[in-house]
Structure formats: structure tokens, C-alpha cells
Coordinates of all heavy atoms in Angstrom, one line a residue:
Q181 N -28.3 94.1 26.9 CA -27.5 94.9 25.9 C -26.9 94.0 24.9 O -26.3 93.1 25.2 CB -26.4 95.7 26.7 CG -27.0 96.6 27.8 CD -25.9 97.0 28.7 OE1 -24.7 96.8 28.5 NE2 -26.3 97.8 29.7
I182 N -27.2 94.4 23.6 CA -26.7 93.5 22.5 C -26.3 94.3 21.3 O -26.8 95.4 21.1 CB -27.8 92.4 22.2 CG1 -27.3 91.5 21.2 CG2 -29.0 93.1 21.7 CD1 -28.1 90.3 21.0
A183 N -25.2 93.9 20.7 CA -24.9 94.5 19.4 C -24.7 93.4 18.4 O -24.2 92.3 18.7 CB -23.5 95.2 19.6
H184 N -25.2 93.6 17.2 CA -25.2 92.5 16.2 C -25.0 93.1 14.7 O -25.5 94.2 14.5 CB -26.6 91.8 16.2 CG -26.7 90.6 15.3 ND1 -27.5 90.7 14.2 CD2 -26.1 89.4 15.3 CE1 -27.5 89.4 13.7 NE2 -26.5 88.7 14.3
L185 N -24.2 92.6 14.0 CA -23.9 93.0 12.6 C -23.8 91.8 11.6 O -23.1 90.8 11.9 CB -22.5 93.7 12.6 CG -22.0 94.3 11.3 CD1 -22.9 95.4 10.8 CD2 -20.6 94.7 11.4
T186 N -24.4 92.0 10.5 CA -24.4 91.0 9.5 C -24.1 91.7 8.1 O -24.7 92.7 7.8 CB -25.8 90.3 9.3 OG1 -26.1 89.7 10.5 CG2 -25.8 89.1 8.2
V187 N -23.2 91.1 7.4 CA -22.9 91.5 6.1 C -23.1 90.4 5.1 O -22.5 89.4 5.3 CB -21.4 92.1 6.0 CG1 -21.0 92.5 4.6 CG2 -21.2 93.2 7.0
R188 N -23.9 90.6 4.0 CA -24.1 89.6 3.0 C -23.8 90.2 1.7 O -23.9 91.4 1.4 CB -25.7 89.3 2.9 CG -26.1 88.6 4.1 CD -27.6 88.1 3.9 NE -28.0 87.3 5.1 CZ -28.8 87.8 6.1 NH1 -29.3 89.1 6.0 NH2 -29.1 87.1 7.0
R189 N -23.2 89.3 0.8 CA -22.8 89.7 -0.4 C -22.7 88.6 -1.5 O -22.3 87.5 -1.1 CB -21.4 90.3 -0.4 CG -20.8 90.8 -1.7 CD -19.5 91.6 -1.4 NE -18.9 91.8 -2.7 CZ -19.1 92.9 -3.4 NH1 -20.0 93.8 -3.1 NH2 -18.5 93.0 -4.6
P190 N -23.2 88.7 -2.7 CA -23.0 87.7 -3.7 C -21.6 87.7 -4.1 O -20.9 88.7 -4.3 CB -23.9 88.1 -4.9 CG -24.2 89.5 -4.6 CD -24.0 89.8 -3.1
I191 N -21.0 86.4 -4.2 CA -19.6 86.4 -4.6 C -19.4 85.7 -5.9 O -18.3 85.7 -6.4 CB -18.7 85.5 -3.6 CG1 -19.4 84.2 -3.3 CG2 -18.6 86.3 -2.2 CD1 -18.5 83.3 -2.4
A192 N -20.5 85.2 -6.5 CA -20.4 84.8 -8.0 C -21.9 84.7 -8.3 O -22.8 84.9 -7.5 CB -19.8 83.4 -8.1
R193 N -22.3 84.2 -9.5 CA -23.6 84.1 -10.0 C -24.4 83.3 -9.2 O -25.6 83.6 -8.8 CB -23.6 83.7 -11.4 CG -25.0 83.9 -12.1 CD -24.9 83.6 -13.7 NE -24.6 82.2 -13.9 CZ -25.5 81.2 -14.0 NH1 -26.8 81.5 -13.8 NH2 -25.1 80.0 -14.3
T194 N -23.9 82.1 -8.7 CA -24.8 81.2 -7.9 C -24.3 81.1 -6.5 O -24.7 80.1 -5.7 CB -24.8 79.8 -8.6 OG1 -23.5 79.3 -8.6 CG2 -25.4 79.9 -9.9
Y195 N -23.4 81.9 -6.0 CA -22.9 81.8 -4.6 C -23.2 83.1 -3.9 O -23.1 84.1 -4.4 CB -21.3 81.6 -4.6 CG -20.8 80.3 -5.0 CD1 -20.6 79.9 -6.4 CD2 -20.7 79.3 -4.1 CE1 -20.2 78.7 -6.8 CE2 -20.2 78.0 -4.3 CZ -20.0 77.7 -5.7 OH -19.5 76.5 -6.1
D196 N -23.5 83.0 -2.6 CA -23.7 84.1 -1.6 C -22.7 83.8 -0.4 O -22.7 82.6 -0.1 CB -25.1 84.2 -1.1 CG -26.0 84.7 -2.3 OD1 -25.6 85.4 -3.2 OD2 -27.2 84.4 -2.2
A197 N -22.3 84.9 0.2 CA -21.6 84.8 1.5 C -22.1 85.7 2.4 O -22.6 86.8 2.1 CB -20.1 84.9 1.2
S198 N -21.9 85.4 3.7 CA -22.3 86.4 4.8 C -21.4 86.1 6.0 O -20.9 85.0 6.2 CB -23.8 86.1 5.2 OG -24.0 84.9 5.8
V199 N -21.1 87.2 6.6 CA -20.3 87.3 7.8 C -21.1 87.9 8.8 O -21.7 89.0 8.7 CB -19.0 88.0 7.5 CG1 -18.2 88.1 8.8 CG2 -18.2 87.4 6.5
E200 N -21.1 87.3 10.0 CA -22.0 87.8 11.1 C -21.2 87.9 12.4 O -20.4 87.0 12.7 CB -23.1 86.9 11.2 CG -24.3 87.3 12.2 CD -25.4 86.2 12.1 OE1 -25.2 85.1 11.6 OE2 -26.5 86.7 12.6
G201 N -21.4 88.8 13.3 CA -20.8 88.9 14.5 C -21.8 89.6 15.5 O -22.7 90.4 15.1
G202 N -21.6 89.3 16.8 CA -22.4 89.8 17.8 C -21.9 89.8 19.2 O -20.9 89.0 19.5
F203 N -22.4 90.6 20.1 CA -21.9 90.7 21.5 C -23.0 91.0 22.4 O -23.9 91.9 22.0 CB -20.8 91.7 21.6 CG -20.4 91.9 23.1 CD1 -19.4 91.0 23.7 CD2 -21.0 92.9 23.9 CE1 -19.1 91.2 25.0 CE2 -20.5 93.1 25.2 CZ -19.6 92.2 25.8
S204 N -23.1 90.4 23.5 CA -24.3 90.9 24.5 C -23.7 90.7 25.9 O -22.8 89.9 26.2 CB -25.4 89.8 24.3 OG -25.2 88.6 24.8
H205 N -24.2 91.7 26.7 CA -23.9 91.6 28.2 C -25.2 91.3 28.9 O -26.3 91.9 28.7 CB -23.3 93.0 28.6 CG -23.2 93.1 30.1 ND1 -22.0 92.4 30.7 CD2 -23.8 93.8 31.1 CE1 -22.1 92.7 31.9 NE2 -23.1 93.5 32.2
N206 N -25.1 90.3 29.8 CA -26.3 89.8 30.4 C -26.1 89.9 32.0 O -25.1 89.5 32.4 CB -26.6 88.4 30.1 CG -26.7 88.2 28.6 OD1 -27.8 88.5 27.9 ND2 -25.6 87.9 27.9
K207 N -27.2 90.3 32.7 CA -27.1 90.4 34.2 C -28.3 89.6 34.7 O -29.4 89.6 34.2 CB -27.2 91.9 34.7 CG -26.0 92.7 34.2 CD -26.2 94.1 34.7 CE -25.5 94.1 36.1 NZ -25.4 95.4 36.6
R208 N -28.1 89.1 35.9 CA -29.2 88.3 36.6 C -30.3 89.2 37.1 O -30.0 90.4 37.6 CB -28.4 87.6 37.9 CG -29.5 86.9 38.7 CD -28.9 86.3 39.9 NE -27.7 85.4 39.8 CZ -27.8 84.2 39.5 NH1 -29.0 83.6 39.6 NH2 -26.7 83.4 39.5
L209 N -31.5 88.8 36.8 CA -32.6 89.6 37.4 C -33.2 89.0 38.6 O -33.8 89.9 39.4 CB -33.7 89.6 36.2 CG -33.4 90.3 35.0 CD1 -34.5 90.2 33.9 CD2 -33.0 91.8 35.2
Q210 N -33.1 87.7 38.8 CA -33.7 87.1 40.0 C -32.5 86.8 41.0 O -31.5 86.5 40.6 CB -34.5 85.8 39.6 CG -35.7 86.2 38.8 CD -36.4 84.9 38.5 OE1 -35.9 83.8 38.6 NE2 -37.6 85.0 38.0
P211 N -33.0 86.7 42.3 CA -32.0 86.2 43.2 C -31.4 84.8 43.0 O -32.0 84.0 42.4 CB -32.6 86.3 44.6 CG -34.0 86.5 44.3 CD -34.2 86.9 42.9
Q212 N -30.2 84.6 43.4 CA -29.6 83.2 43.3 C -30.4 82.2 43.9 O -30.8 82.3 45.1 CB -28.2 83.3 43.7 CG -27.4 81.9 43.7 CD -26.1 82.1 44.4 OE1 -25.6 83.1 44.6 NE2 -25.5 80.9 44.6
V213 N -30.5 81.0 43.3 CA -31.1 79.8 43.8 C -30.1 79.0 44.5 O -28.9 79.1 44.2 CB -32.0 79.1 42.7 CG1 -33.0 79.9 42.3 CG2 -31.0 78.6 41.6
V214 N -30.5 78.1 45.3 CA -29.5 77.3 46.1 C -28.5 76.5 45.2 O -27.3 76.6 45.5 CB -30.3 76.3 47.1 CG1 -29.4 75.4 47.9 CG2 -31.1 77.2 48.1
D215 N -29.1 75.6 44.3 CA -28.2 74.8 43.5 C -27.8 75.4 42.1 O -27.3 74.7 41.3 CB -28.8 73.4 43.3 CG -29.0 72.7 44.6 OD1 -28.1 72.9 45.5 OD2 -29.9 71.9 44.7
G216 N -28.2 76.7 41.9 CA -28.0 77.2 40.6 C -26.6 77.9 40.4 O -25.7 77.8 41.2
S217 N -26.5 78.6 39.3 CA -25.3 79.4 39.0 C -25.1 80.5 39.9 O -26.0 81.2 40.4 CB -25.4 79.9 37.6 OG -24.4 80.8 37.3
T218 N -23.8 80.7 40.2 CA -23.5 81.9 41.2 C -23.1 83.1 40.5 O -22.8 84.1 41.0 CB -22.3 81.4 42.1 OG1 -21.2 81.1 41.3 CG2 -22.7 80.4 42.9
A219 N -23.1 83.1 39.1 CA -22.7 84.3 38.3 C -23.8 85.3 38.4 O -25.0 85.1 38.3 CB -22.5 83.8 36.8
E220 N -23.3 86.6 38.5 CA -24.2 87.7 38.5 C -24.4 88.3 37.2 O -25.4 88.9 36.8 CB -23.8 88.8 39.5 CG -23.7 88.3 40.9 CD -25.2 88.1 41.4 OE1 -26.0 88.9 41.0 OE2 -25.4 87.3 42.2
S221 N -23.4 88.1 36.2 CA -23.4 88.5 34.9 C -22.6 87.7 34.0 O -21.7 87.0 34.5 CB -23.0 90.1 34.8 OG -21.6 90.2 35.2
Y222 N -22.7 87.8 32.7 CA -21.9 87.2 31.8 C -21.9 87.9 30.4 O -22.9 88.6 30.1 CB -22.2 85.6 31.5 CG -23.5 85.4 30.8 CD1 -23.6 85.2 29.5 CD2 -24.7 85.3 31.6 CE1 -24.8 85.0 28.8 CE2 -25.9 85.0 31.0 CZ -25.9 84.8 29.6 OH -27.1 84.6 29.0
N223 N -20.8 87.8 29.7 CA -20.7 88.4 28.3 C -20.7 87.3 27.3 O -20.0 86.2 27.5 CB -19.4 89.2 28.3 CG -19.4 90.4 29.1 OD1 -20.5 91.0 29.3 ND2 -18.3 90.6 29.6
E224 N -21.4 87.4 26.2 CA -21.4 86.5 25.1 C -21.1 87.1 23.8 O -21.6 88.1 23.4 CB -22.7 85.8 25.0 CG -22.8 84.7 24.1 CD -24.2 83.9 24.1 OE1 -25.0 84.3 24.9 OE2 -24.2 82.9 23.4
G225 N -20.1 86.5 23.0 CA -19.7 87.1 21.8 C -19.8 85.9 20.7 O -19.5 84.7 21.1
F226 N -20.0 86.2 19.5 CA -19.9 85.2 18.4 C -19.5 85.8 17.1 O -19.7 86.9 16.9 CB -21.2 84.4 18.3 CG -22.4 85.3 17.6 CD1 -22.5 85.2 16.3 CD2 -23.1 86.2 18.4 CE1 -23.5 86.0 15.7 CE2 -24.1 86.9 17.8 CZ -24.3 86.8 16.5
A227 N -19.0 84.9 16.2 CA -18.7 85.2 14.9 C -19.0 84.1 13.9 O -18.8 82.9 14.4 CB -17.2 85.6 14.7
S228 N -19.5 84.2 12.8 CA -19.8 83.2 11.9 C -19.7 83.6 10.5 O -19.7 84.7 10.1 CB -21.3 82.7 12.1 OG -22.2 83.7 11.7
V229 N -19.4 82.6 9.7 CA -19.3 82.7 8.2 C -20.1 81.7 7.5 O -20.1 80.5 7.9 CB -17.8 82.5 7.7 CG1 -17.7 82.6 6.2 CG2 -16.9 83.5 8.4
V230 N -20.9 82.1 6.5 CA -21.9 81.2 5.8 C -21.6 81.4 4.3 O -21.6 82.4 3.8 CB -23.3 81.5 6.2 CG1 -24.2 80.6 5.3 CG2 -23.5 81.4 7.6
V231 N -21.5 80.2 3.6 CA -21.4 80.3 2.2 C -22.5 79.5 1.6 O -22.8 78.3 2.1 CB -20.0 79.7 1.5 CG1 -20.1 79.6 0.1 CG2 -18.9 80.5 2.1
R232 N -23.3 80.0 0.7 CA -24.5 79.4 0.1 C -24.4 79.2 -1.5 O -24.0 80.3 -2.1 CB -25.7 80.2 0.5 CG -27.0 79.7 -0.1 CD -28.1 80.7 0.2 NE -28.2 80.9 1.6 CZ -29.2 80.3 2.5 NH1 -30.0 79.5 1.9 NH2 -29.3 80.5 3.8
K233 N -24.6 78.0 -1.9 CA -24.6 77.7 -3.3 C -26.0 77.4 -3.9 O -26.6 76.5 -3.3 CB -23.6 76.5 -3.6 CG -23.8 76.0 -5.0 CD -23.0 76.7 -6.0 CE -23.0 75.8 -7.3 NZ -23.4 76.6 -8.5
H234 N -26.5 78.2 -4.8 CA -27.9 78.1 -5.3 C -27.9 76.9 -6.3 O -27.0 77.0 -7.2 CB -28.4 79.3 -5.9 CG -28.3 80.5 -5.0 ND1 -29.2 80.6 -3.9 CD2 -27.6 81.6 -4.8 CE1 -29.0 81.7 -3.3 NE2 -28.1 82.4 -3.8
M235 N -28.7 75.9 -6.1 CA -28.8 74.7 -7.1 C -30.2 74.8 -7.7 O -31.0 74.2 -7.2 CB -28.6 73.5 -6.2 CG -27.2 73.4 -5.5 SD -25.8 73.3 -6.5 CE -26.0 71.8 -7.3
G236 N -30.3 75.5 -8.7 CA -31.6 75.7 -9.3 C -32.5 76.6 -8.5 O -32.0 77.4 -7.7
R237 N -33.8 76.6 -8.7 CA -34.7 77.5 -8.1 C -35.2 77.1 -6.8 O -35.7 77.8 -5.9 CB -35.9 77.7 -9.0 CG -35.6 78.4 -10.3 CD -36.8 78.7 -11.1 NE -36.4 79.4 -12.3 CZ -37.2 79.8 -13.2 NH1 -38.5 79.6 -13.0 NH2 -36.8 80.4 -14.3
T238 N -35.0 75.7 -6.4 CA -35.6 75.3 -5.2 C -34.6 74.7 -4.2 O -35.0 74.4 -3.0 CB -36.7 74.2 -5.4 OG1 -36.0 73.2 -6.1 CG2 -37.8 74.8 -6.3
F239 N -33.4 74.6 -4.5 CA -32.4 74.0 -3.5 C -31.2 74.9 -3.3 O -30.7 75.5 -4.3 CB -31.9 72.6 -4.0 CG -32.9 71.6 -3.8 CD1 -33.6 71.2 -4.9 CD2 -33.1 70.9 -2.7 CE1 -34.6 70.1 -4.9 CE2 -34.0 69.9 -2.5 CZ -34.7 69.5 -3.6
D240 N -30.6 75.0 -2.2 CA -29.5 75.6 -1.8 C -28.6 74.6 -1.0 O -29.1 73.8 -0.2 CB -29.6 76.9 -1.0 CG -30.2 78.0 -1.7 OD1 -30.3 77.9 -3.0 OD2 -30.6 78.9 -1.0
I241 N -27.2 74.7 -1.2 CA -26.4 73.9 -0.4 C -25.6 75.0 0.5 O -25.1 76.0 -0.1 CB -25.3 73.1 -1.2 CG1 -26.0 72.1 -2.0 CG2 -24.2 72.5 -0.4 CD1 -25.2 71.3 -2.9
I242 N -25.4 74.7 1.8 CA -25.0 75.7 2.7 C -23.8 75.1 3.5 O -24.0 73.9 4.0 CB -26.0 76.2 3.7 CG1 -27.2 76.7 3.0 CG2 -25.5 77.2 4.7 CD1 -28.5 76.8 3.7
G243 N -22.8 75.9 3.6 CA -21.6 75.5 4.5 C -21.5 76.6 5.5 O -21.4 77.8 5.1
A244 N -21.3 76.4 6.9 CA -21.3 77.5 7.8 C -20.3 77.1 8.9 O -20.1 75.8 9.2 CB -22.6 77.8 8.3
Y245 N -19.6 78.1 9.5 CA -18.8 77.9 10.7 C -19.2 79.0 11.7 O -19.3 80.2 11.3 CB -17.3 78.0 10.3 CG -16.4 78.0 11.5 CD1 -16.2 76.9 12.3 CD2 -15.8 79.3 11.9 CE1 -15.4 77.0 13.5 CE2 -15.1 79.4 13.1 CZ -14.8 78.2 13.8 OH -14.1 78.3 14.9
R246 N -19.3 78.6 12.9 CA -19.6 79.6 14.0 C -18.8 79.3 15.3 O -18.6 78.2 15.7 CB -21.0 79.5 14.4 CG -21.5 80.5 15.4 CD -23.0 80.4 15.7 NE -23.4 81.3 16.6 CZ -24.4 82.3 16.4 NH1 -25.0 82.3 15.2 NH2 -24.8 83.1 17.3
F247 N -18.2 80.5 15.7 CA -17.4 80.5 17.0 C -18.1 81.3 18.0 O -18.6 82.4 17.7 CB -16.0 81.0 16.7 CG -15.2 81.1 18.1 CD1 -14.6 80.1 18.7 CD2 -15.1 82.4 18.6 CE1 -14.0 80.2 19.8 CE2 -14.4 82.6 19.8 CZ -13.9 81.5 20.4
S248 N -18.3 80.8 19.2 CA -18.9 81.6 20.3 C -18.1 81.4 21.6 O -17.5 80.4 21.8 CB -20.4 81.2 20.4 OG -20.6 79.9 21.0
E249 N -18.2 82.4 22.4 CA -17.6 82.5 23.6 C -18.4 83.1 24.7 O -19.0 84.1 24.5 CB -16.2 83.2 23.6 CG -15.4 83.2 24.8 CD -14.0 83.9 24.7 OE1 -13.2 83.2 24.1 OE2 -13.9 85.0 25.0
I250 N -18.5 82.4 25.8 CA -19.2 83.0 27.0 C -18.2 83.2 28.1 O -17.5 82.4 28.5 CB -20.4 82.1 27.4 CG1 -21.4 81.9 26.4 CG2 -21.0 82.7 28.8 CD1 -22.4 80.8 26.8
E251 N -18.2 84.4 28.8 CA -17.4 84.8 29.8 C -18.2 85.2 31.0 O -18.8 86.2 31.0 CB -16.4 85.9 29.4 CG -15.4 86.3 30.5 CD -14.6 87.4 30.2 OE1 -14.7 87.9 29.0 OE2 -13.8 87.8 31.0
F252 N -18.1 84.3 32.1 CA -18.8 84.7 33.3 C -18.0 85.5 34.3 O -16.7 85.6 34.2 CB -19.2 83.3 34.1 CG -20.1 82.5 33.4 CD1 -19.6 81.4 32.6 CD2 -21.4 82.6 33.4 CE1 -20.4 80.6 31.9 CE2 -22.2 81.8 32.7 CZ -21.8 80.7 31.9
N253 N -18.7 86.2 35.2 CA -18.0 87.1 36.1 C -17.2 86.3 37.2 O -16.3 86.8 37.9 CB -18.8 88.2 36.7 CG -19.9 87.6 37.7 OD1 -20.4 86.5 37.4 ND2 -20.3 88.4 38.6
V254 N -17.7 85.1 37.5 CA -16.9 84.2 38.5 C -16.9 82.7 37.8 O -17.7 82.5 37.0 CB -17.8 84.1 39.8 CG1 -17.8 85.4 40.5 CG2 -19.2 83.6 39.6
P255 N -16.0 81.9 38.3 CA -15.9 80.6 37.6 C -17.1 79.8 37.8 O -17.8 79.8 38.9 CB -14.7 80.0 38.5 CG -13.9 81.1 39.0 CD -14.9 82.2 39.3
Q256 N -17.5 79.1 36.8 CA -18.6 78.1 36.7 C -18.2 76.7 36.4 O -17.2 76.6 35.7 CB -19.7 78.7 35.7 CG -20.1 80.0 36.0 CD -21.0 80.1 37.2 OE1 -22.0 79.4 37.3 NE2 -20.6 81.0 38.1
T257 N -19.0 75.7 36.7 CA -18.8 74.4 36.4 C -19.8 74.0 35.2 O -20.9 73.9 35.5 CB -18.9 73.4 37.5 OG1 -17.9 73.8 38.5 CG2 -18.6 71.9 37.1
L258 N -19.3 73.7 34.0 CA -20.1 73.4 32.9 C -19.5 72.2 32.3 O -18.4 72.0 31.8 CB -20.1 74.5 31.8 CG -20.5 75.9 32.2 CD1 -20.3 76.9 31.1 CD2 -22.0 75.9 32.4
G259 N -20.4 71.1 32.2 CA -19.9 69.8 31.6 C -18.7 69.2 32.2 O -17.9 68.6 31.6
G260 N -18.5 69.4 33.5 CA -17.4 68.7 34.3 C -16.2 69.6 34.4 O -15.2 69.2 35.0
A261 N -16.2 70.7 33.6 CA -15.0 71.6 33.6 C -15.4 72.8 34.4 O -16.4 73.4 34.2 CB -14.6 71.9 32.2
T262 N -14.3 73.4 35.1 CA -14.6 74.6 35.8 C -13.8 75.8 35.3 O -12.6 75.6 35.0 CB -14.3 74.5 37.4 OG1 -15.2 73.4 37.9 CG2 -14.5 75.7 38.1
G263 N -14.4 76.9 35.1 CA -13.6 78.1 34.6 C -14.6 79.2 34.3 O -15.8 79.2 34.5
R264 N -14.0 80.3 34.0 CA -14.8 81.6 33.7 C -15.3 81.6 32.2 O -16.2 82.3 31.8 CB -14.0 82.8 34.1 CG -13.9 83.1 35.5 CD -13.3 84.4 35.8 NE -14.0 85.4 35.2 CZ -13.4 86.4 34.5 NH1 -12.1 86.5 34.4 NH2 -14.1 87.4 33.9
I265 N -14.5 80.9 31.3 CA -14.8 81.1 29.9 C -15.1 79.7 29.3 O -14.5 78.7 29.5 CB -13.5 81.7 29.1 CG1 -13.2 83.0 29.7 CG2 -13.7 81.7 27.6 CD1 -11.9 83.6 29.1
S266 N -16.2 79.7 28.4 CA -16.7 78.6 27.7 C -16.6 78.8 26.3 O -17.3 79.9 25.8 CB -18.0 78.1 28.1 OG -18.5 77.2 27.4
R267 N -15.9 78.1 25.4 CA -15.8 78.3 24.0 C -16.6 77.2 23.3 O -16.5 76.0 23.7 CB -14.4 78.4 23.6 CG -13.7 79.6 24.1 CD -12.3 79.7 23.6 NE -11.6 80.9 24.1 CZ -10.9 81.0 25.1 NH1 -10.6 79.8 25.8 NH2 -10.3 82.1 25.6
R268 N -17.2 77.6 22.1 CA -17.8 76.5 21.3 C -17.5 76.8 19.8 O -17.5 78.0 19.3 CB -19.3 76.7 21.6 CG -20.1 75.6 20.8 CD -21.6 75.7 21.1 NE -21.7 75.4 22.6 CZ -22.8 75.6 23.3 NH1 -23.9 76.0 22.6 NH2 -22.9 75.2 24.5
N269 N -17.3 75.7 19.0 CA -17.0 75.8 17.6 C -18.1 74.9 16.9 O -18.3 73.8 17.4 CB -15.6 75.3 17.2 CG -14.5 76.1 17.8 OD1 -14.3 77.3 17.2 ND2 -14.0 75.8 18.8
I270 N -18.8 75.4 16.0 CA -19.9 74.6 15.3 C -19.7 74.8 13.8 O -19.6 75.8 13.3 CB -21.3 75.2 15.7 CG1 -21.4 75.2 17.2 CG2 -22.3 74.4 15.0 CD1 -22.7 75.9 17.7
G271 N -19.6 73.7 13.2 CA -19.6 73.6 11.7 C -20.9 72.9 11.2 O -21.4 72.0 11.8
T272 N -21.4 73.4 10.1 CA -22.6 72.9 9.5 C -22.5 72.8 8.0 O -22.0 73.7 7.3 CB -23.8 73.9 9.8 OG1 -23.8 74.2 11.3 CG2 -25.2 73.4 9.4
I273 N -23.1 71.6 7.6 CA -23.3 71.5 6.1 C -24.8 71.1 6.0 O -25.3 70.2 6.6 CB -22.4 70.4 5.5 CG1 -21.0 70.8 5.7 CG2 -22.6 70.1 4.1 CD1 -19.9 69.7 5.3
A274 N -25.5 71.8 5.1 CA -27.0 71.6 4.9 C -27.4 71.7 3.5 O -26.8 72.3 2.7 CB -27.7 72.5 5.8
V275 N -28.6 71.1 3.3 CA -29.3 71.3 2.0 C -30.6 71.9 2.4 O -31.3 71.5 3.2 CB -29.5 69.9 1.3 CG1 -30.4 70.1 0.0 CG2 -28.2 69.2 0.9
E276 N -30.9 73.1 1.7 CA -32.1 73.7 2.0 C -33.1 73.6 0.8 O -32.7 73.9 -0.3 CB -31.8 75.2 2.3 CG -33.0 76.1 2.7 CD -32.5 77.5 3.0 OE1 -32.3 78.3 2.1 OE2 -32.5 77.8 4.2
W277 N -34.3 73.3 1.1 CA -35.3 73.2 0.1 C -36.3 74.3 0.3 O -36.9 74.4 1.4 CB -36.0 71.8 0.1 CG -37.1 71.7 -0.8 CD1 -37.1 71.8 -2.2 CD2 -38.4 71.1 -0.5 NE1 -38.3 71.5 -2.7 CE2 -39.2 71.1 -1.7 CE3 -39.0 70.7 0.7 CZ2 -40.4 70.6 -1.7 CZ3 -40.3 70.3 0.6 CH2 -41.0 70.2 -0.6
H278 N -36.7 75.1 -0.7 CA -37.7 76.1 -0.6 C -38.5 76.1 -2.0 O -38.2 76.7 -2.9 CB -37.1 77.5 -0.5 CG -35.8 77.8 -1.1 ND1 -35.8 78.3 -2.4 CD2 -34.5 77.6 -0.8 CE1 -34.5 78.3 -2.8 NE2 -33.7 77.9 -1.9
P279 N -39.5 75.2 -1.8 CA -40.5 75.0 -3.0 C -41.2 76.3 -3.4 O -41.4 77.2 -2.5 CB -41.4 73.9 -2.6 CG -41.5 74.1 -1.1 CD -40.1 74.5 -0.7
K280 N -41.8 76.3 -4.5 CA -42.6 77.3 -5.1 C -43.8 77.5 -4.3 O -44.4 76.5 -3.9 CB -42.9 77.1 -6.6 CG -43.7 78.2 -7.2 CD -43.9 78.0 -8.6 CE -44.8 79.0 -9.3 NZ -45.1 78.7 -10.7
A281 N -44.2 78.7 -3.9 CA -45.4 78.8 -3.1 C -46.7 78.4 -3.9 O -46.8 78.6 -5.1 CB -45.5 80.4 -2.7
I282 N -47.6 77.8 -3.2 CA -48.8 77.3 -3.7 C -50.0 78.1 -3.1 O -50.1 78.1 -1.9 CB -49.0 75.8 -3.4 CG1 -47.9 75.0 -4.0 CG2 -50.4 75.3 -3.9 CD1 -47.9 73.5 -3.6
R283 N -50.8 78.7 -4.0 CA -51.9 79.4 -3.5 C -53.0 78.5 -3.0 O -53.4 77.7 -3.8 CB -52.3 80.4 -4.6 CG -53.5 81.3 -4.2 CD -53.8 82.2 -5.1 NE -54.9 83.0 -4.8 CZ -55.4 84.1 -5.4 NH1 -54.8 84.5 -6.6 NH2 -56.4 84.8 -4.9
I284 N -53.5 78.8 -1.8 CA -54.6 78.1 -1.3 C -55.8 78.9 -1.4 O -55.9 79.9 -0.8 CB -54.3 77.6 0.2 CG1 -53.1 76.7 0.2 CG2 -55.5 76.8 0.8 CD1 -52.6 76.4 1.6
E285 N -56.9 78.4 -2.0 CA -58.1 79.1 -2.1 C -59.2 78.5 -1.3 O -59.4 77.4 -1.0 CB -58.6 79.2 -3.6 CG -57.5 80.0 -4.4 CD -57.9 80.1 -5.8 OE1 -59.0 79.7 -6.3 OE2 -57.0 80.6 -6.7

């Protein structure tokens, strides 16, 4: 089960922005393995913001921030820490190149 929403909008002649969010509920389909996770289900949610600056016809500069959270139904050990909730913050700066299409005959 998943819900996802994205809103994009130009904010100036050469700038675009988008806001995105989503949520999913996940359940185990296979029986628990001996050394694996004991969680039967988990919820995952995220939100992100992206700003894109167009630099001519072939380059864009992108800045983005994304927050995500996973909540298990029972405590889990992830990366040496034990708990029910795992949070992640991700920042990105990138240059995107999209050249003009070349027809192959």
C-alpha cells in the first residue's frame, strides 16, 4: 500500500521547484528466517524538496533535500543501534547534462 504526491512549478524563468511526499505500509510475505529481521510490518514515509536551475539548453544544476523515516512494528538493530524508528537525511548537489538527441540511421 503506497501513497505518493509530487508538485512541480516554475518559480522563475530559469528555475523549477518540486515538492514530493509519500507513505507506504509494508508487510512480510515469507516466514521469518533464523538470523533475519523479526519485524512483521513497517511504515515508511518521506518528504523532499528539489530546486533546479537551467543553465542553457544542455545543463541543469540541482539542489535537493530528502527526509525519510522507517517505523517497524518491533525494535530492530540497524547499524549498531536498536529501536523502532530509523531516520535519514540526504542532501544532494548535482550537475545534469542532457545533450541534444542524435538520430541514428
